[in-house]
Amino acid sequence: MANAAAALAGRDIAPWTPAEVAQAFSRFEAADPEPKGELDYVDPFTLLVAVVLSAQATDVGVNKATRTLFAAAPTPQAMVALGEEGVAGHIRTLGLYRGKAKNVVALSRRLVEEFGGAVPADRAVLETLPGVGRKTANVVLNIAFGMPTIAVDTHLFRVANRTGLSAGKNPLEVELGLERAIPDRFKLHAHHWLILHGRYVCKARVPECWRCLIADLCRWPSKTPAPTPSPVA
């Protein structure tokens, strides 16, 4: 991630103007006024666990694992009672599942012992929980508590650098650049729009520029042409 970002960040390109940024997010909003994350959850606790489990895993894979996990342990108290081996049994299809099981039980125990079983709506506090970094904290604050945070995952990191919207060598640089550039009215949904755009349109290997909503604003020089239709036999 860092090497690719350094190359992209080093391009000599014109920065986006405030009008261009507003135009881009107006288009995203018109196409999808209420974007949603793709992880299944029922409350702040299950969201927090799902995001912790999503590291180096797909949302689809996490949703399959949490279907039985949340049925067995829907609360921090129940997760602690289930224990590491019990949690591991539900999530063994996910990469690094033993470490994730350890973190899920440990963070659940912290929630019970220090916060009465509630998920704190505070980034600094969330980041002290096992398995929780800035991105995870930002996702929880945004989705569970409606805060205008920007969670930078690999998709958003790629889109921000590739388009020139916020070039940065690491996720924090990209996040802070986007916070400065994006108008307040778009910030609540901004990271959803950019993540989904990177997941389904501005893909890593072959970006589908021919159907991109912001292709005319994007600073990436190597736009991918539309595929040539196969000849009719």
Side-chain angles (χ1 to χ4, degrees), residues 3-218:
N3 290 339
L8 292 169
R11 290 182 293 151
D12 184 18
I13 59 173
W16 286 52
T17 67
E20 288 176 321
V21 176
Q23 177 63 235
F25 284 94
S26 293
R27 295 178 190 176
F28 286 133
E29 182 180 54
D32 188 5
E34 295 289 334
K36 304 295 182 185
E38 296 184 319
L39 289 172
D40 293 337
Y41 69 98
V42 295
D43 56 19
F45 171 67
T46 52
L47 173 65
L48 174 60
V49 171
V51 180
V52 168
L53 296 179
S54 70
Q56 300 182 45
T58 66
D59 288 358
V60 171
V62 172
N63 290 339
K64 288 180 180 179
T66 57
R67 192 171 298 125
T68 60
L69 175 64
F70 293 157
T75 67
Q77 294 85 348
M79 199 71 74
V80 172
L82 188 59
E84 290 182 27
E85 284 302 316
V87 172
H90 290 279
I91 67 169
R92 64 177 63 254
T93 55
L94 302 178
L96 308 175
Y97 75 93
R98 289 204 174 275
K100 290 178 179 180
K102 181 177 180 179
N103 284 336
V104 166
V105 173
L107 74 83
S108 298
R109 183 173 290 108
R110 284 276 310 279
L111 293 179
V112 171
E113 294 176 350
E114 299 178 30
F115 304 101
V119 175
D122 182 290
R123 179 193 284 135
V125 175
L126 285 170
E127 287 188 59
T128 69
L129 298 175
V132 178
R134 188 178 180 93
K135 185 202 80 171
T136 295
N138 280 343
V139 171
V140 173
L141 293 174
N142 181 280
I143 297 176
F145 300 107
M147 296 185 187
T149 53
I150 297 174
V152 180
D153 74 346
T154 55
H155 298 296
L156 191 153
F157 188 80
R158 178 178 65 255
V159 170
N161 274 289
R162 181 183 279 168
T163 62
L165 182 59
S166 176
K169 296 179 181 179
N170 57 61
L172 182 58
E173 286 186 6
V174 168
E175 177 188 336
L176 297 180
L178 290 173
E179 286 185 348
R180 290 190 295 267
I182 298 171
D184 288 346
R185 65 177 292 252
F186 297 118
K187 282 182 180 175
L188 180 62
H189 295 315
H191 90 271
H192 288 298
W193 285 319
L194 294 175
I195 288 171
L196 293 172
H197 189 65
R199 183 172 291 166
Y200 298 112
V201 179
C202 194
K203 302 175 183 179
R205 292 182 180 275
V206 184
E208 298 180 4
C209 302
W210 65 89
R211 64 185 191 90
C212 173
L213 293 175
I214 60 171
D216 58 315
L217 302 172
C218 172

